[in-house]
Amino acid sequence: MPKMKTKSSAKKRFQVTGSGKIKRKHAFKSHILTKKAKKQKRNLTKTGYVTKADQPNVKIMLCMK
């Protein structure tokens, strides 16, 4: 059986930390920023983590399982 290929979209969007958590960027930070508050834009800049419910699907896309 051939090797599983990693989804190209997933490898561009997610990064695995040393402890095994999956980092991601926040959405809603690319355009139409004039109506958003400074605090909201600042908080969207920071990275977040994938929730526990979504981790299995992301791991399958990254061929970690």
Side-chain angles (χ1 to χ4, degrees):
M1 193 163 155
K3 290 183 181 178
M4 292 279 292
K5 283 192 175 181
T6 302
K7 299 277 186 203
S8 293
S9 58
K11 69 183 174 189
K12 292 171 191 171
R13 287 172 172 80
F14 301 108
Q15 185 181 4
V16 182
T17 63
S19 61
K21 292 180 183 175
I22 302 169
K23 283 185 359 180
R24 64 170 178 84
K25 290 181 91 173
H26 283 100
F28 307 110
K29 184 73 187 347
S30 59
H31 61 101
I32 314 175
L33 299 172
T34 51
K35 62 176 81 168
K36 293 172 185 155
K38 277 186 181 182
K39 184 178 181 180
Q40 182 185 7
K41 289 186 279 190
R42 185 172 59 245
N43 288 334
L44 289 173
T45 301
K46 300 170 186 171
T47 56
Y49 293 103
V50 174
T51 58
K52 217 171 212 179
D54 294 327
Q55 276 184 358
N57 291 328
V58 175
K59 284 184 177 182
I60 288 169
M61 288 191 286
L62 294 173
C63 292
M64 292 176 61
K65 246 183 174 177

